[in-house]
Amino acid sequence: MRQRELGFFFMVFEFMFLLSLCSSEELLPEISPDTSPQPFLPFIAPSPMVPYIINTTIPKLSGLCSLNFTASEGLIQTTSHNCWTVFAPLLANVMCCPQLDATLTIILGKASKETGLLALNRTQSKHCLLDLEKILLGKGASSQLRSICSLYSSNLTASSCPVISVEDFESKVDTSKLLLACEKVDPVKECCEQACQNAILDAASNITLKASEPLTDNSSVRINDCKNIVQRWLTTKLEPSQAKGTLRGLANCKINRVCPLVFPDMRHISGNCSNELSNQTGGFCGAMESYVSNLQKQALITNLQALDCATSLGTKLQKKLNITKNVFSVCHISLKDFSLQVGSQESGCLLPSLPSDAIFDQDSGISFTCDLNDNIPAPWPSSSSLSPASTCKKPVTIPALPAAASSQPGLYNEGVKRFVIFVLSVVLVILLS
């Protein structure tokens, strides 16, 4: 009975927390121009007194899935941490979904060593996905991973790719060339040089072109589906940790190219804007502060994503509101203002641009590395280049890792602070007392 009560209160609390994340302007709090934004995450404990608690019940699996989940226990555990309950939507773009994709790819690759197939059929894929969801849920992951990560049972099949057998794959692809390009991937250089990405594309294109089935207008979709097959084959030639590093590195190249935030209507800014910003700077900066404060509540993002978001917002201000003055400088907006606030900090937490994972500790709970001391000003896009900055041609210098792990000193004043996110501490203390 007590376990049922805990589950009920947990669900109620999770619902209330998710409701608070709603980004619609009607539900967002009004922020006074004269005050700093309030911290968005109210429960922060550098030294929590209550251990991390998860549902430890062993899930009842279908018995109809041929995948060996036990052999990938470490990957699944990491996935559950990165996709932990109510924080999964906040970490979805950077940690949760990339790790979930990598885990599925590696598990399917491992299975091919026994079956000789790099994909499941539709029936098996449904059973296996349901089983994996149950396992992750039992380890504390969110129950909404399908919607958060756009996860479907078809993700475990070959989809439209015509090649699924290892033998057929190796007869159509220059595997030596593929391995040479992807065996050791530098997560920084790869995003610019794209050696492994190009090798995967070539292999996927070869599979598509050499298939007996004729090409259609959806050849780009087929090539993309075949990329998944190529990545599954790659994992069979790499150690699990190496395979994870490669897949997460490739995913991060895509992640850091685009701002994941959705920009709401700018009508509140336009009512206070003036190109001269002479007598109404306070009103305009108040409107900008309110807009960015509401914008940052959507997710935790990387430093390079923040750079993309700053460029995107600056471009919109120039094109839609005809603002040419560097309002980021006037209103003191920095890159960390685009990421979610943590605790009592007035600005957001920027995650490192290189792949990272949430960390579990039995005593302190779930934590992740972020930087709250980096005050790099948000760059204002020049009128000659009103497009998101390229990852390889950044207007500012940003380290791939926080200061504690970076070889570029001086960009972080006080280094990295690790904050332990402990949302349910107060509720659980009351319930367990």
Side-chain angles (χ1 to χ4, degrees), residues 337-349:
D337 291 323
F338 289 87
S339 191
L340 191 67
Q341 291 180 20
V342 177
S344 60
Q345 301 295 320
E346 294 182 0
S347 297
C349 153

Side-chain angles (χ1 to χ4, degrees), residues 209-372:
L209 292 172
K210 293 179 181 179
S212 57
E213 299 177 23
L215 285 175
T216 64
D217 293 336
N218 294 325
S219 58
S220 60
V221 175
R222 182 181 292 184
I223 290 175
N224 195 56
D225 290 336
C226 285
K227 283 183 181 180
N228 295 329
I229 296 296
V230 175
Q231 290 182 343
R232 291 172 196 173
W233 180 89
L234 263 176
T235 63
T236 67
K237 305 300 178 182
L238 305 174
E239 291 296 321
S241 60
Q242 189 181 5
K244 177 202 164 186
T246 296
L247 294 174
R248 290 289 303 277
L250 294 175
N252 258 48
C253 290
K254 296 178 182 178
I255 289 168
N256 287 320
R257 288 189 197 124
V258 182
C259 172
L261 305 181
V262 178
F263 293 91
D265 190 272
M266 295 183 172
R267 61 180 180 271
H268 298 304
I269 299 178
S270 61
N272 292 279
C273 77
S274 168
N275 206 32
E276 298 300 325
L277 297 176
S278 54
N279 297 324
Q280 47 185 337
T281 301
F284 176 84
C285 286
M288 279 294 298
E289 179 184 272
S290 178
Y291 185 88
V292 174
S293 295
N294 290 334
L295 187 69
Q296 73 175 182
K297 294 175 183 177
Q298 295 179 29
L300 286 155
I301 63 176
T302 70
N303 46 24
L304 289 178
Q305 285 180 319
L307 179 60
D308 296 327
C309 292
T311 305
S312 297
L313 178 58
T315 300
K316 290 179 184 295
L317 290 171
Q318 292 183 35
K319 287 186 175 181
K320 293 186 176 181
L321 303 185
N322 296 318
I323 296 175
T324 57
K325 192 178 181 72
N326 183 350
V327 297
F328 291 163
S329 176
V330 173
C331 300
H332 307 292
I333 294 176
S334 64
L335 289 182
K336 64 184 181 181
D337 291 323
F338 289 87
S339 191
L340 191 67
Q341 291 180 20
V342 177
S344 60
Q345 301 295 320
E346 294 182 0
S347 297
C349 153
L350 288 176
L351 299 173
S353 59
L354 288 183
S356 60
D357 295 310
I359 300 167
F360 166 70
D361 181 83
Q362 188 65 47
D363 297 320
S364 58
I366 294 289
S367 66
F368 50 85
T369 301
C370 65
D371 179 70
L372 299 175

Side-chain angles (χ1 to χ4, degrees), residues 9-23:
F9 279 106
F10 181 87
M11 287 185 351
V12 170
F13 189 84
E14 180 173 344
F15 172 77
M16 293 174 64
F17 184 82
L18 287 173
L19 187 63
S20 72
L21 300 182
C22 181
S23 60

